[in-house]
Amino acid sequence: VGTGGRMIHCRCAKCFCYPSKRRIRRRPRNLTILNLPEDALFHILKWLSVGDILAVRAVHSHLKYLVDNHASVWACASFQELWPSPGNLKLFERAAEKGNFEAAVKLGIAYLYNEGLSVSDEARAEVNGLRASRYFSLAERLNVGAAPFIWLFIRPPWSVSGSCCKAVVHESLRAECQLQKTHRASILHCLGRVLSLFEDEEKQKQARNLFEESANQGCLTSSYLLWESDRRMDMLDPGRCLHSFRKLRDFAAKGCWEAQVSWEPASSQCLLSGTPGWGCQLAFTRHCPCAAVRKSLFPDKSEEVPLGQAGACDPTKLGLQSLALKNS
């Protein structure tokens, strides 16, 4: 009891007790796509079309940052069922500059044939040709490890009634090769392929020079075309014939599908003709990357005869087996 008759309570357990603590249940954390690591988000965005990418971009600022600042998103964007037009031209150009192969090819074709991107009739061939050349060159640089292809779009016939857009593209690509020191092999091959389709003898010589320059820079397709043009002369000399087969084998081993297709009939022709040194050529056939040729000539490895045993194999019989596989 305090002074003045007032009651004073202490803080002991008898006079005062703390309220019991209530356990607060925490709600489970809601996980969204934003909680995924960036690598996973990039993997998801790479499988989306351009329209879906733009829709995702508008959802959140973080997704907008990823789409706007990472080239890999646009390089893998799908433009399926879309064609360049004035409304989506910026999207195609942006994707092509970021390394999108599909966008570059479609822009090149659209400018070449004036499809979707209307240009005034005045100097239309020159303007469209230069723009198409730009995107065709970009497409070839992105087409790593595959055969050059843009020559298919600019091959003759060319227009003879005035300026021709195909001719403008050809000349623009040729001028680019003279200035550019890298990524020239595939462009040179395409230029040579176009000139080789003309009947003019002078253009045929220019085409061969372009093929030789392209082959020296590592274009496998150009090397094979040179081999094919020299094949008839090489077959007349046994030594050159053997060297020709070695080159064909190397082209096939490096992945040139045209060389792989040509290997079987070429080896059959050599075996049937009884060309000297057929045993060495037979050894090359054993190591050819074409499994069908190996299986047709040597169905059982145990029956292979070591090189050097004279009379152990009949070249005519082996050649007939190869021809039988070809005709089947």
Side-chain angles (χ1 to χ4, degrees), residues 226-245:
L226 291 173
W227 173 89
E228 193 175 33
S229 63
D230 298 337
R231 176 183 173 185
R232 293 182 179 179
M233 295 299 297
D234 292 341
M235 290 299 174
L236 301 178
D237 184 4
R240 293 173 61 182
C241 177
L242 185 58
H243 180 63
S244 176
F245 266 78

Side-chain angles (χ1 to χ4, degrees), residues 131 157 261 294:
R131 293 177 181 175
V261 173
R294 292 200 307 269

Side-chain angles (χ1 to χ4, degrees), residues 86-243:
N88 58 21
L89 179 60
K90 295 297 182 181
L91 292 177
F92 272 90
E93 291 179 345
R94 181 177 185 178
E97 295 298 332
K98 297 296 184 180
N100 191 295
F101 176 78
E102 181 184 3
V105 173
K106 286 187 174 181
L107 281 172
I109 298 175
Y111 280 119
L112 179 65
Y113 297 108
N114 197 30
E115 293 288 341
L117 301 174
S118 59
V119 179
S120 60
D121 293 336
E122 184 179 358
R124 184 177 64 184
E126 287 74 10
V127 174
N128 279 9
L130 293 176
R131 293 177 181 175
S133 171
R134 173 191 174 188
Y135 290 108
F136 279 147
S137 175
L138 177 59
E140 276 297 346
R141 291 200 300 269
L142 298 174
N143 189 36
V144 180
F149 72 99
I150 62 173
W151 64 274
L152 293 168
F153 302 114
I154 59 176
R155 66 187 187 275
W158 290 352
S159 175
V160 295
S161 60
S163 58
C164 177
C165 192
K166 292 182 179 180
V168 174
V169 174
H170 187 273
E171 293 301 323
S172 177
L173 291 175
R174 194 160 191 170
E176 179 183 344
C177 287
Q178 295 176 354
L179 298 176
Q180 191 176 357
K181 300 300 181 182
T182 58
H183 304 291
R184 295 173 46 191
S186 59
I187 301 295
L188 289 171
H189 172 83
C190 292
L191 296 176
R193 201 71 178 262
V194 171
L195 293 180
S196 66
L197 298 176
F198 288 95
E199 297 180 355
D200 186 5
E201 184 177 355
E202 181 64 26
K203 291 186 178 180
Q204 292 288 336
K205 293 181 180 179
Q206 295 178 8
R208 182 175 180 86
N209 293 333
L210 291 172
F211 285 145
E212 291 177 351
E213 188 176 356
S214 176
N216 292 334
Q217 296 188 16
C219 182
L220 189 60
T221 310
S222 295
S223 300
Y224 170 77
L225 291 179
L226 291 173
W227 173 89
E228 193 175 33
S229 63
D230 298 337
R231 176 183 173 185
R232 293 182 179 179
M233 295 299 297
D234 292 341
M235 290 299 174
L236 301 178
D237 184 4
R240 293 173 61 182
C241 177
L242 185 58
H243 180 63

